Amino acid sequence: MRSSTALANLFTLVASILSLSTASGQTPPRIGGRMTEPLEKYEMPPAALGTYRLDTSPRMIKPFGVFTSYQVNVDANGNNIVGDAANEPSIAVDPTDGNKITIGWRQFDTYTSNFRQSGYGYSTDAGVTWHFPGTLQPGVFRSDPVLDFDDTGNFFYLSLLVDTFCGDIWRSTNGGQSWTERSPNGGAHSGDKEWFTVDKTPTSMGHGFQYQFWTGFFACDFGEFSRSTDGGATWQSPINIPNDPDWGSLDVASNGYLFIGGNDEGSSFWCIRSTNAQNPGVTPTFDQVTTVNMGGSIVYGGAVNPGGLAGQTFLAVDRSGGSTNNNIYMVTSVQPFGAGNGTDVMFVRSTDGGVTFSAPHRINDDPINHNKWHYFGTIGVAPNGRIDSVWLDTRNAANNTDSQLFYSYSTDGGVTWAPNVAVSSSFTPLEGWPQQNKIGDYITVVSDNSGGDVAYSATFNFNPTRGQHEQDVYFVRVSPSGGPTPTPTATATPTATPTATVTPSSTPTASPTATPTATPRPTPTPRAQPTPRPHPTPGPRP
C-alpha cells in the first residue's frame, strides 16, 4: 500500500524531528502512543571489502560458579573476531537430539557501521563448541532474527529485509549447519519486530503450520498477521489483528488454538486467541481478546539500552499433558506503575484458555529498588511443564547498569518460583555499540525436561584498539538440579480480566531447588505433542 503525498510529507517532517532528538541523545518522540519510527531501519552501507575478520583473539569461555558461557560468533578456527558486533540472539534446539543447537543473531561485520546481516552459528555438542559459517545472504541488509523448530528437528529462521520490512523463512535440515530459503525474498510478508511460531502438536489440525505477526504500522505491505500451511514456502495474504499488538510473541496450545501476546508500546497488554487459524480452509479470525495487567509499562530508551527496548512480551503455552496442560504464560520486563526508573520481570498465567489471567507476579526477588534494571525477561516451557525464566539484571551493580544474566524457574505452573540465581559474570551493556546505542531488544531460551538453553549478548571481550568491550553472542546452559530446597515465593491466583475469578485447576506439590547447575543433559524427550478492524495505511519506509 502507498501513502498520499501529504502523509509522506508529514513523515518526512517527523523523521527530521527524530534525527534531531536522536542526535541529542533523547528518546525519539511518539505520536498517539506509538513509535513514530521503526526499531529497524536501513541506515548505512556494508563494510568495505577486506576490512572484516582481519584480527582475532582467543574465543571467550566465561565460567561463573557452576555455569559456563561459551562465545558463539567465532571464526573458522574458533577464535573471537576482533572489531565485529553481534546481538539480538534467537535460539533453536533439536527436540530429538539436544546436542544440535543453532543460534541466529544480528551480525555487524564492524562496529563502525550499522549495516547488519543475518548471522548464524551451530553446535553439535550441546553448546560447548560453536561454528559460525557466515550469514544467510552475505552483503544483504537483514535484521530481527527469530528462530524456531518443528517436532522432527527441522530448524527455521525468520529474517527481515530491513529496506522493505519484508521477511522470508529459511530452513535447515542438518542442525543449522546450512540453510535454504523457503520463501522468496520478502515472500513471508512481515514487518518491523516480527515474530513467528511453529505448531508442534501432532494431533493439531494445523500441525506444522507457521504463524507470524509484526508491527503493522511498519509493514512490508499491510496487515499484522500471516500463516503458512506448507512449512514457510508460501504465506497467505496478511490480515489485521484486533488492537494492533506490537513487540510480542505467539504460541500454540495442544488443541491447536493460537495465542498472541503483545502490547501497545505502553501499559496495555493483550492475549489474543484464534481457534480457527489451524483450519487451512478458512481465513483465520480472532475470537477472544483479553486485556492483561502486567503491572507496568514497556520501556524504550532506558539507561541500560538507550537505543532499544528493555524487553518485549513473551507468551508461551504449556503442552505437557499434565495438570498444567494448556496453561498460558506471559512474561515481560516493565517499569512498575508509579516508578520513575528501572524495570521488573513480571509474570502472569491463565488456567482457563486465556479468558482470565492472574495478577502480575514479580519474578526477580531482590529488594524493590526502582533504580535497578531487570530487563530482556523471557521464558521457556519444558515438555514436563517446568517454566524457565532468564533476564539481564543490575541488582549487584553500584552504577545500576553493569549487568548479569539471572535465572529462576517454576515447577508448579508459575504458582511459586525458585530463588533467583546469577548465571554470568558482570558486564557493561553500554560498550561495543555498532553505531546503534543498544545491545539488541531481546534474548531467548528453549527448555527441555532437565534444563534450558540460553542465547544472550554480553561484552566480555575487550578490544584494546577501541578501548572498549565488544558485543558478542553467548550460549549458557541453566538447570534446576542440585542444592537445598528453597522457600519459593507465590504467584497470585488468577483474577478476572475482565470477568470472574478463576481458581487454578490443580497445583503440583514439587518443590524447586535453590541453586541451578550446569550439568550436561541427556537428549531431551520429544514433546507430546472479534472480526479484525480495518488498519490505517502504513507510513513510508525510512
Side-chain angles (χ1 to χ4, degrees):
M1 298 178 69
R2 294 292 181 263
S3 304
S4 67
T5 301
L7 185 59
N9 291 336
L10 172 62
F11 269 79
T12 300
L13 175 62
V14 170
S16 299
I17 296 172
L18 287 169
S19 64
L20 290 173
S21 66
T22 302
S24 65
Q26 299 173 2
T27 300
R30 301 188 185 193
I31 295 177
R34 297 277 180 156
M35 294 293 293
T36 56
E37 64 174 4
L39 292 181
E40 297 293 349
K41 47 190 178 291
Y42 198 107
E43 298 157 301
M44 302 180 76
L49 293 176
T51 61
Y52 176 54
R53 297 195 179 196
L54 296 181
D55 194 11
T56 63
S57 62
R59 75 153 173 164
M60 181 60 68
I61 299 176
K62 195 72 170 175
F64 184 81
V66 298
F67 303 99
T68 301
S69 293
Y70 299 92
Q71 186 179 350
V72 175
N73 57 317
V74 294
D75 69 6
N77 297 316
N79 293 318
N80 172 55
I81 303 163
V82 176
D84 74 340
N87 60 36
E88 228 159 79
S90 181
I91 189 170
V93 183
D94 186 341
T96 70
D97 182 357
N99 291 305
K100 297 178 181 178
I101 307 173
T102 189
I103 295 175
W105 64 85
R106 305 193 316 162
Q107 170 64 26
F108 301 78
D109 284 351
T110 169
Y111 68 84
T112 63
S113 173
N114 262 348
F115 189 89
R116 49 200 176 273
Q117 301 169 77
S118 49
Y120 69 92
Y122 70 91
S123 175
T124 58
D125 58 5
V128 175
T129 306
W130 286 90
H131 310 275
F132 172 21
T135 60
L136 295 183
Q137 281 185 316
V140 176
F141 197 113
R142 289 180 173 273
S143 199
D144 282 359
V146 184
L147 275 64
D148 205 351
F149 52 90
D150 64 21
D151 51 313
T152 65
N154 292 315
F155 291 154
F156 297 92
Y157 192 135
L158 174 62
S159 178
L160 187 71
L161 291 157
V162 181
D163 56 337
T164 61
F165 292 134
C166 298
D168 39 70
I169 287 285
W170 298 66
R171 181 179 68 182
S172 174
T173 59
N174 58 5
Q177 297 184 41
S178 61
W179 297 84
T180 301
E181 189 173 14
R182 290 284 289 163
S183 55
N185 277 1
H189 302 290
S190 292
D192 194 36
K193 302 308 296 178
E194 86 292 356
W195 209 268
F196 87 114
T197 193
V198 179
D199 186 341
K200 305 174 181 67
T201 305
T203 56
S204 167
M205 182 190 303
H207 177 234
F209 287 10
Q210 297 182 10
Y211 305 107
Q212 180 192 174
F213 94 99
W214 56 84
T215 300
F217 199 63
F218 303 106
C220 171
D221 32 31
F222 56 91
E224 298 137 350
F225 175 86
S226 187
R227 173 186 68 187
S228 173
T229 61
D230 56 9
T234 61
W235 291 80
Q236 73 170 63
S237 181
I239 60 176
N240 296 128
I241 305 173
N243 295 342
D244 309 325
D246 294 341
W247 301 350
S249 63
L250 60 178
D251 202 2
V252 182
S254 60
N255 55 11
Y257 289 3
L258 173 68
F259 293 90
I260 299 172
N263 60 82
D264 70 342
E265 303 169 15
S267 60
S268 294
F269 297 83
W270 305 285
C271 176
I272 301 169
R273 183 184 73 182
S274 175
T275 58
N276 67 355
Q278 63 182 313
N279 184 347
V282 303
T283 297
T285 57
F286 302 95
D287 62 340
Q288 180 176 282
V289 179
T290 303
T291 299
V292 181
N293 174 18
M294 296 301 301
S297 300
I298 287 283
V299 172
Y300 173 83
V304 289
N305 205 36
L309 300 175
Q312 64 175 48
T313 302
F314 282 91
L315 179 149
V317 181
D318 182 310
R319 293 186 294 273
S320 63
S323 60
T324 57
N325 191 57
N326 285 339
N327 279 4
I328 303 165
Y329 308 121
M330 291 174 63
V331 160
T332 193
S333 294
V334 299
Q335 184 178 83
F337 294 125
N341 297 294
T343 50
D344 288 321
V345 180
M346 304 300 287
F347 167 87
V348 297
R349 66 183 184 133
S350 174
T351 61
D352 57 6
V355 176
T356 63
F357 279 80
S358 68
H361 172 76
R362 181 177 180 261
I363 295 180
N364 52 286
D365 60 6
D366 53 324
I368 292 176
N369 181 341
H370 294 309
N371 292 317
K372 299 299 182 182
W373 293 85
H374 312 86
Y375 61 109
F376 290 178
T378 186
I379 53 172
V381 181
N384 60 11
R386 189 193 69 257
I387 313 169
D388 295 317
S389 182
V390 291
W391 63 94
L392 298 182
D393 195 306
T394 71
R395 71 179 68 182
N396 294 323
N399 61 8
N400 296 329
T401 55
D402 287 350
S403 304
Q404 295 173 273
L405 185 69
F406 266 73
Y407 169 55
S408 183
Y409 64 93
S410 173
T411 59
D412 55 13
V415 175
T416 58
W417 287 83
N420 300 174
V421 176
V423 174
S424 79
S425 299
S426 178
F427 64 91
T428 174
L430 304 181
E431 294 183 2
W433 291 339
Q435 302 292 310
Q436 202 175 50
N437 295 0
K438 70 176 182 178
I439 196 166
D441 291 311
Y442 51 82
I443 62 176
T444 50
V445 59
V446 171
S447 300
D448 57 57
N449 283 339
S450 60
D453 294 318
V454 181
Y456 72 106
S457 291
T459 59
F460 298 132
N461 280 308
F462 183 73
N463 183 342
T465 301
R466 189 180 186 188
Q468 285 192 11
H469 294 83
E470 297 188 327
Q471 286 186 11
D472 295 299
V473 170
Y474 290 88
F475 167 87
V476 66
R477 174 75 177 174
V478 295
S479 171
S481 60
T485 301
T487 302
T489 54
T491 296
T493 299
T495 56
T497 313
T499 55
T501 300
V502 175
T503 302
S505 56
S506 177
T507 302
T509 58
S511 298
T513 53
T515 306
T517 62
T519 53
R521 69 185 184 284
T523 299
T525 303
R527 300 184 184 185
Q529 305 283 334
T531 303
R533 64 179 174 81
H535 192 66
T537 301
R541 303 174 184 118

